[in-house]
Amino acid sequence: MDARPPTCVAIRRAPGGTTRKEATYVTEDRTPAVAENPEAAGGDEEPQQFKGRKNGLYSEVSDELAASMKSGWADTELHGLAPVPQAPYAAERRAKLSAAYPGERLVVPAGTLKMRSNDTDYGFRAASEYVHLTGDRTEDAVLVAEPTEDGHDFGLYLLPRSDRENGEFWLDGYGELWVGRRHSLAEQEQLLGLPVRDVRKAADELADRAADGVPTRIVRGYDAGLEAALGDVLDADKDAEFKEFLSGLRLVKDAWEIGELRAACAATVNGFTDCVRELGQAVATSERWIEGTFWRRARVEGNDVGYGSICAAGPHATTLHWVRNDGEVRPGELLLLDAGVETHTLYTADVTRTLPINGRFDELQRKIYDAVYDAQEAGIAAVKPGARFRDFHDASQRVLAERLLAWGLLDASVYDVEKVLELGLQRRWTLHGTGHMLGLDVHDCAHSRTEEHVDALLVPGMVLTVEPGLYFQQDDLTVPEEYRGIGVRIEDDILVTADGNENLSAGLPRRAEDVEAWMASFA
Ligand code: GLY
Ligand code: MN
Ligand code: MN
């Protein structure tokens, strides 16, 4: 199939992001054949000119064909749509945002597509800040909060349905006959509970409004076109603070979000089960079989994987973010599988299990596994309201430091556990922090203020991972040879509740004997 239409109309975006103009049909002499709505085409500006596709099999559209394609289509507009379930929650979040920035104009873009190779884009994933405040996940969109006397008027700019008058729907590579029907702006208003305008006017309208002197903030890094349009009115420090605020707004999950994270964990449990069932095929092929098996589950039950799956067999388990996944899967070694399904609403799980590929841990694997398990148990026990965010990390690290001393990998004649922890000597083998917030981003709320996150106390509604690990690199001369190339991590997704915590990923076994029994049930 020719990957793009015969006369390819690049009408969606100006360079760097946001579209400014509409397009028209082009005829053989390359002059627009239909320019019926110059206002919609960008005021006084000329309607966008466009070229036939070089080396495309059709280089032109006759007037007769253009006329034919404009008519004979049924009205498919949908009416009476119910709002999406998250709409009232998103409205509450917007109310908090409004209260924090009286008198300021706020711009929250969803982001734009990025080309992967000619005529194909990377799969789009909307910015978490935008998703959180709108419940929407479409590309090129923008949320704008316009200050009023007593708060803000919120409105969305979205891409409308493809126009049949100007041929966009079949001539543009992003037209609906190529990529599928979009919701109309009126439909989106019903679904999202916000007024919606055509995003192709957004950059111009915001640039015009910028002259009024109203302080304006944007979440940077998602839409270069909008940032350019706002230009001089923006302030880098204020925008950085805005990103911090929005990140912090996600620290405590509401009831609907907790439901989504539960669903993400349930789908992830299914994905891990698929992988265990198909371990034999992975042994016959490579780690990629695991990656593909989990991804299939993620695409069927959710939107995608929430991050690149880490399918690390044997010594690859000692590489923290091993996502090349091109290695052999050998019986007798361990498989560290760190993967999470992202729901259709873009909330992700983040779960790790370390599995004996032949179904049974050997003695040393088991010793290391049990140490990590004990460290995780201590960590999970420290997750409760009023505990410090750092407590679960400290609890896990203490267990691992004690074990490293007991095994003689740290010299107990020189250091006690307090000194090890003070100097951080265990980190040669524990390497990373013991967990992080989880939500729309796998490493959620990472930009929030330290005082409300890493230096704060846990409160009900927070969701975080507890994921201690021990990693003995293949070339680590400080450990006995038999340790080298072994990596173990166990990771679960923990909800802080009113009286303690709940393990949202408890559907997967964690204790070594339970893991073995579970694997045996598929043998
Ligand atoms: N999957 C990355 C992490 O566990 O943080
Ligand atoms: Mn994690
Ligand atoms: Mn993980």
Side-chain angles (χ1 to χ4, degrees):
M1 185 190 67
D2 207 3
R4 282 286 183 262
T7 304
C8 196
V9 212
I11 64 173
R12 294 183 64 200
R13 294 172 202 83
T18 305
T19 305
R20 288 167 180 259
K21 300 180 191 172
E22 305 221 353
T24 65
Y25 277 112
V26 71
T27 54
E28 289 175 45
D29 64 2
R30 300 275 174 255
T31 55
V34 183
E36 293 163 348
N37 188 3
E39 200 172 313
D44 296 336
E45 296 175 55
E46 287 292 307
Q48 180 154 337
Q49 300 288 313
F50 45 84
K51 304 193 286 290
R53 175 180 156 79
K54 187 174 167 66
N55 292 320
L57 290 175
Y58 293 108
S59 60
E60 62 206 37
V61 177
S62 68
D63 288 342
E64 290 78 3
L65 178 57
S68 167
M69 290 302 284
K70 281 203 268 178
S71 62
W73 308 103
D75 178 2
T76 61
E77 182 74 8
L78 302 171
H79 303 278
L81 297 175
V84 295
Q86 61 270 49
Y89 296 96
E92 281 179 31
R93 299 167 200 151
R94 291 194 297 272
K96 290 181 188 162
L97 175 64
S98 178
Y101 295 99
E104 297 199 38
R105 179 174 294 130
L106 308 168
V107 181
V108 185
T112 60
L113 291 171
K114 182 170 169 17
M115 192 175 82
R116 180 178 185 277
S117 71
N118 184 43
D119 284 347
T120 64
D121 296 313
Y122 287 100
F124 178 73
R125 204 286 193 176
S128 294
E129 294 91 339
Y130 173 82
V131 176
H132 191 238
L133 292 168
T134 64
D136 181 47
R137 44 168 285 193
T138 54
E139 67 267 25
D140 288 350
V142 192
L143 173 72
V144 177
E146 196 61 38
T148 61
E149 296 256 305
D150 54 356
H152 288 83
D153 284 339
F154 283 89
L156 283 174
Y157 284 100
L158 295 175
L159 198 60
R161 288 200 62 190
S162 297
D163 196 335
R164 296 202 192 277
E165 276 300 307
N166 67 14
E168 175 194 344
F169 77 109
W170 70 292
L171 291 176
D172 177 15
Y174 298 95
E176 292 188 7
L177 291 196
W178 287 85
V179 299
R181 187 190 190 280
R182 290 189 287 273
H183 281 299
S184 71
L185 301 188
E187 290 167 357
Q188 292 280 28
E189 289 190 344
Q190 297 165 60
L191 292 167
L192 302 172
L194 284 164
V196 180
R197 294 170 60 73
D198 184 342
V199 73
R200 290 175 296 199
K201 304 181 196 309
D204 285 343
E205 290 189 358
L206 284 169
D208 288 348
R209 274 188 253 164
D212 63 10
V214 171
T216 301
R217 300 187 197 229
I218 190 170
V219 185
R220 294 198 185 196
Y222 296 118
D223 195 320
L226 280 181
E227 289 175 32
L230 289 167
D232 295 343
V233 302
L234 297 176
D235 175 305
D237 292 339
K238 287 187 170 177
D239 290 345
E241 191 279 335
F242 186 38
K243 197 172 176 78
E244 257 182 9
F245 174 84
L246 291 176
S247 191
L249 195 58
R250 306 208 308 266
L251 278 163
V252 178
K253 273 61 183 176
D254 58 41
W256 179 82
E257 291 181 295
I258 290 167
E260 292 306 294
L261 287 165
R262 249 182 235 294
C265 287
T268 297
V269 169
N270 291 339
F272 273 71
T273 305
D274 295 340
C275 292
V276 170
R277 278 187 207 280
E278 299 199 10
L279 257 185
Q281 281 149 290
V283 170
T285 55
S286 77
E287 296 165 339
R288 291 276 166 95
W289 194 276
I290 309 284
E291 179 182 332
T293 301
F294 191 85
W295 187 67
R296 181 182 64 220
R297 177 64 66 174
R299 290 290 286 167
V300 169
E301 286 202 32
N303 175 58
D304 207 331
V305 290
Y307 54 93
S309 299
I310 297 165
C311 309
H316 290 157
T318 65
T319 302
L320 296 179
H321 284 174
W322 176 259
V323 292
R324 289 182 218 158
N325 299 340
D326 57 358
E328 286 183 39
V329 178
R330 288 178 290 259
E333 296 185 330
L334 299 175
L335 170 71
L336 186 157
L337 175 56
D338 181 343
V341 174
E342 177 186 79
T343 61
H344 295 290
T345 56
L346 308 187
Y347 287 79
T348 191
D350 179 12
V351 175
T352 306
R353 290 292 180 269
T354 305
L355 308 167
I357 292 163
N358 64 7
R360 303 278 300 181
F361 293 99
D362 71 22
E363 197 179 331
L364 179 60
Q365 290 167 349
R366 173 75 188 250
K367 181 174 92 164
I368 297 169
Y369 186 94
D370 285 346
V372 175
Y373 174 82
D374 291 345
Q376 197 201 23
E377 282 284 280
I380 292 173
V383 175
K384 55 191 169 199
R388 295 180 317 146
F389 178 83
R390 294 175 187 276
D391 285 349
F392 73 94
H393 170 72
D394 292 346
S396 287
Q397 293 297 303
R398 177 171 292 274
V399 171
L400 294 175
E402 285 166 354
R403 224 50 73 90
L404 291 163
L405 283 163
W407 297 341
L409 304 188
L410 289 167
D411 189 344
S413 69
V414 180
Y415 307 108
D416 63 10
V417 68
E418 304 303 336
K419 197 67 185 171
V420 168
L421 292 169
E422 181 192 328
L423 299 175
L425 297 177
Q426 82 286 359
R427 290 177 57 192
R428 181 180 176 98
W429 302 287
T430 67
L431 292 179
H432 54 79
T434 309
H436 51 83
M437 295 294 182
L438 185 70
L440 281 167
D441 290 333
V442 60
H443 294 169
D444 209 36
C445 313
H447 299 284
S448 57
R449 290 184 300 119
T450 308
E451 310 87 86
E452 62 178 352
H453 185 162
V454 174
D455 287 345
L457 305 183
L458 298 179
V459 299
M462 289 179 166
V463 179
L464 50 88
T465 68
V466 178
E467 50 175 309
L470 280 175
Y471 311 91
F472 301 104
Q473 306 299 320
Q474 267 188 309
D475 56 354
D476 187 345
L477 301 180
T478 70
V479 299
E481 200 169 345
E482 63 269 24
Y483 283 66
R484 297 177 199 162
I486 295 179
V488 173
R489 176 163 67 253
I490 313 173
E491 176 173 25
D492 282 87
D493 300 342
I494 310 296
L495 166 68
V496 183
T497 60
D499 55 2
N501 69 62
E502 178 188 342
N503 184 347
L504 301 180
S505 45
L508 283 176
R510 284 190 301 127
R511 285 193 318 160
E513 52 269 40
D514 296 339
V515 168
E516 289 178 343
W518 177 62
M519 294 181 74
S521 72
F522 302 114

PDB file of all heavy atoms in Angstrom, residues 51 59 108 272:
ATOM      1  N   LYS A  51       1.750  20.338  -2.398  1.00  0.00           N
ATOM      2  CA  LYS A  51       2.309  19.702  -3.589  1.00  0.00           C
ATOM      3  C   LYS A  51       1.796  18.282  -3.697  1.00  0.00           C
ATOM      4  O   LYS A  51       1.465  17.649  -2.698  1.00  0.00           O
ATOM      5  CB  LYS A  51       3.835  19.636  -3.478  1.00  0.00           C
ATOM      6  CG  LYS A  51       4.525  20.948  -3.259  1.00  0.00           C
ATOM      7  CD  LYS A  51       6.009  20.820  -3.488  1.00  0.00           C
ATOM      8  CE  LYS A  51       6.720  20.088  -2.366  1.00  0.00           C
ATOM      9  NZ  LYS A  51       6.792  20.826  -1.127  1.00  0.00           N
ATOM     10  N   SER A  59      -0.812  12.412  -9.021  1.00  0.00           N
ATOM     11  CA  SER A  59      -0.229  13.712  -8.690  1.00  0.00           C
ATOM     12  C   SER A  59      -1.266  14.816  -8.725  1.00  0.00           C
ATOM     13  O   SER A  59      -0.951  15.962  -8.475  1.00  0.00           O
ATOM     14  CB  SER A  59       0.892  14.025  -9.687  1.00  0.00           C
ATOM     15  OG  SER A  59       0.353  14.050 -10.987  1.00  0.00           O
ATOM     16  N   VAL A 108      -1.791  24.192  28.686  1.00  0.00           N
ATOM     17  CA  VAL A 108      -1.331  22.818  28.943  1.00  0.00           C
ATOM     18  C   VAL A 108      -1.497  21.998  27.658  1.00  0.00           C
ATOM     19  O   VAL A 108      -2.585  21.518  27.354  1.00  0.00           O
ATOM     20  CB  VAL A 108      -2.133  22.167  30.091  1.00  0.00           C
ATOM     21  CG1 VAL A 108      -1.575  20.781  30.426  1.00  0.00           C
ATOM     22  CG2 VAL A 108      -2.125  23.050  31.334  1.00  0.00           C
ATOM     23  N   PHE A 272       2.160 -11.248  32.930  1.00  0.00           N
ATOM     24  CA  PHE A 272       3.211 -12.091  33.510  1.00  0.00           C
ATOM     25  C   PHE A 272       2.831 -13.575  33.363  1.00  0.00           C
ATOM     26  O   PHE A 272       3.697 -14.424  33.073  1.00  0.00           O
ATOM     27  CB  PHE A 272       3.433 -11.746  34.988  1.00  0.00           C
ATOM     28  CG  PHE A 272       4.412 -10.622  35.204  1.00  0.00           C
ATOM     29  CD1 PHE A 272       4.081  -9.309  34.882  1.00  0.00           C
ATOM     30  CD2 PHE A 272       5.670 -10.864  35.732  1.00  0.00           C
ATOM     31  CE1 PHE A 272       4.991  -8.269  35.074  1.00  0.00           C
ATOM     32  CE2 PHE A 272       6.594  -9.846  35.935  1.00  0.00           C
ATOM     33  CZ  PHE A 272       6.248  -8.539  35.600  1.00  0.00           C
TER      34      PHE A 272
END
